Amino acid sequence: MALTKVRMCSLPASLASLVRKSQQATFSAKKGAGMGGNVRIGLDAVKGVQVPTPSFLAAPKTVSIIGAPMTYGQPFAGTDRGPAAVREKGLHQALTKLGWRVEETGDLTFEPPGHSTIEYAGPGNCRFSQAVGGACKKIKDAVHRHAAKGNFVLTLGGDHSIALGTLAGILAARPETGVVWVDAHADLNTPMSSPSGNMHGMPVAFLMRLIDPTTVPGCEWLASLPRLRPEQIAYVGLRDLDREERNVLRNLDIKAFTMYHVDRYGIGKVMEMLLDHLGDRPLHMSYDIDACDPVIAPSTGTKVRGGLSFREAHYVAEAVAETGRLGSLDMVEINPQLFEQKDGTQGTDDTVDLTLALVSDAFGNRIL
């Protein structure tokens, strides 16, 4: 398959250099994360098959890549380095190898909280809402612009608070979109129920209007946009829920598959039930790398043991792609500054390699 040229939209010199570096990258077989054997990773593992292209995407099929280096939705520095880490591993070459045209838009820039910024001035407990809300408004505008053109929108985080912006933009362009939320956490807390006040645990609550956004500084813009309805979202991989999140999931009858369900039914049956529930609608997948077990994805800030295995993690992305209805994807919470090994190299590489592999799955990569 001939490689398609990557279109770079007025990229800064540093990012253009990074793209060139990624396009020259080659990867050979090496030890897989926690696998105890040789597995192909990176570009060496990319072997495309013909996955149905959603009818709502324009031809030729084009993916717009948006970098959202958000770090203020949680307390650990480093999630802002996630987009660059995934690009550097060979993202653009992987996507073109799978037959996609690539429109690289670069990273959005966000205003950090200043020394004089009030940490939070609304009801409950919500840290840096003005910084996070302002950034998510930028993300929403960018995502909506590219989705409205008929492009697949791939947003690289950044912490999971960016989903407030990505989904707001997708719902503005495709209001009936169904959401596959792949995560150890439900991210359903409101400022009144959140134990930590970190906004990466709140995007679904905001999108469902469990909190009035006009009462939260920085988030007022959300009030005029379509609301995410409970039947539009389904979870897989849950294993760390706060009390109020459990109540919301039950009371609103939200489809949620925990790791118990994965153990009981197997990932194949779980994904069949999840996708049947969402029905015949455009799909958005919000994939938090902490859905995966820390053995295979150690470089993330909210690790919870007992997560998706290497193959389960891949199957989730493969199954969603094979519907022919996936039109947008977030990959979030990759933090190259957090790792298990003392030298830091292997843990970071394993997590970023896995991220690239999961993205490739969503665009048509298969074993055979």
Side-chain angles (χ1 to χ4, degrees):
M1 181 185 295
L3 296 185
T4 307
K5 186 175 181 182
V6 176
R7 177 185 174 193
M8 293 180 281
C9 303
S10 304
L11 300 185
S14 59
L15 184 52
S17 174
L18 187 152
V19 170
R20 286 191 293 271
K21 184 176 179 181
S22 76
Q23 290 177 326
Q24 295 166 359
T26 58
F27 298 89
S28 58
K30 72 171 190 178
K31 287 284 185 180
M35 295 301 290
N38 288 332
V39 296
R40 293 183 182 275
I41 62 167
L43 296 179
D44 195 41
V46 176
K47 299 183 183 300
V49 298
Q50 191 60 42
V51 173
T53 302
S55 60
F56 55 84
L57 295 184
K61 59 182 185 181
T62 301
V63 52
S64 296
I65 302 174
I66 299 171
M70 169 56 65
T71 189
Y72 309 120
Q74 48 79 59
F76 298 106
T79 52
D80 53 328
R81 293 173 52 190
V86 178
R87 289 189 184 103
E88 190 170 4
K89 277 293 183 181
L91 173 65
H92 302 97
Q93 193 170 347
L95 293 172
T96 56
K97 192 174 180 180
L98 291 166
W100 287 80
R101 292 173 56 83
V102 176
E103 183 175 6
E104 173 59 75
T105 71
D107 285 355
L108 298 171
T109 58
F110 305 136
E111 189 71 27
H115 290 297
S116 60
T117 302
I118 298 173
E119 187 167 302
Y120 183 58
N125 184 20
C126 190
R127 303 185 71 237
F128 302 128
S129 67
Q130 290 177 316
V132 174
C136 286
K137 170 67 163 60
K138 278 191 171 184
I139 296 167
K140 182 270 294 183
D141 290 341
V143 168
H144 179 256
R145 182 166 61 253
H146 290 278
K149 292 193 301 184
N151 287 2
F152 190 113
V153 183
L154 169 60
T155 309
L156 303 173
D159 67 57
H160 217 163
S161 67
I162 71 164
L164 176 58
T166 59
L167 265 171
I170 288 296
L171 291 171
R174 306 165 188 161
E176 294 305 312
T177 292
V179 181
V180 181
W181 197 275
V182 191
D183 204 329
H185 312 90
D187 297 344
L188 261 171
N189 271 306
T190 67
M192 286 72 74
S193 68
S194 173
S196 68
N198 295 323
M199 288 191 72
H200 72 162
M202 303 182 192
V204 182
F206 273 88
L207 291 160
M208 286 188 174
R209 305 298 191 272
L210 303 183
I211 175 72
D212 179 357
T214 64
T215 67
V216 181
C219 299
E220 298 88 350
W221 55 270
L222 186 61
S224 62
L225 295 171
R227 179 179 71 90
L228 180 68
R229 302 187 306 275
E231 65 271 20
Q232 284 181 267
I233 188 169
Y235 289 91
V236 62
L238 295 176
R239 59 192 184 277
D240 185 14
L241 298 170
D242 294 318
R243 179 185 300 175
E244 187 57 31
E245 290 180 311
R246 291 189 183 94
N247 292 336
V248 171
L249 288 168
R250 292 189 183 111
N251 293 339
L252 296 183
D253 196 24
I254 296 171
K255 188 64 72 174
F257 296 96
T258 70
M259 289 308 298
Y260 164 82
H261 298 103
V262 175
D263 292 339
R264 179 174 179 179
Y265 299 109
I267 195 62
K269 184 62 176 177
V270 163
M271 291 308 297
E272 180 184 336
M273 292 187 289
L274 182 151
L275 292 168
D276 282 349
H277 170 76
L278 291 176
D280 187 17
R281 60 169 87 222
L283 296 177
H284 172 91
M285 181 160 58
S286 197
Y287 207 128
D288 189 324
I289 202 67
D290 75 21
C292 305
D293 194 272
V295 170
I296 63 170
S299 295
T300 188
T302 47
K303 294 184 281 287
V304 186
R305 292 197 299 179
L308 297 172
S309 70
F310 187 84
R311 271 305 311 156
E312 288 166 347
H314 280 271
Y315 187 83
V316 168
E318 292 166 351
V320 176
E322 285 177 356
T323 65
R325 302 195 304 275
L326 181 64
S328 47
L329 169 67
D330 307 330
M331 288 299 306
V332 300
E333 297 286 353
I334 302 98
N335 191 331
Q337 290 185 202
L338 298 177
F339 41 78
E340 295 289 332
Q341 288 76 4
K342 289 183 180 178
D343 65 2
T345 304
Q346 189 63 46
T348 297
D349 282 353
D350 287 345
T351 307
V352 180
D353 283 337
L354 177 60
T355 302
L356 177 61
L358 296 174
V359 172
S360 299
D361 292 340
F363 284 87
N365 190 35
R366 294 298 180 272
I367 296 170
L368 181 64

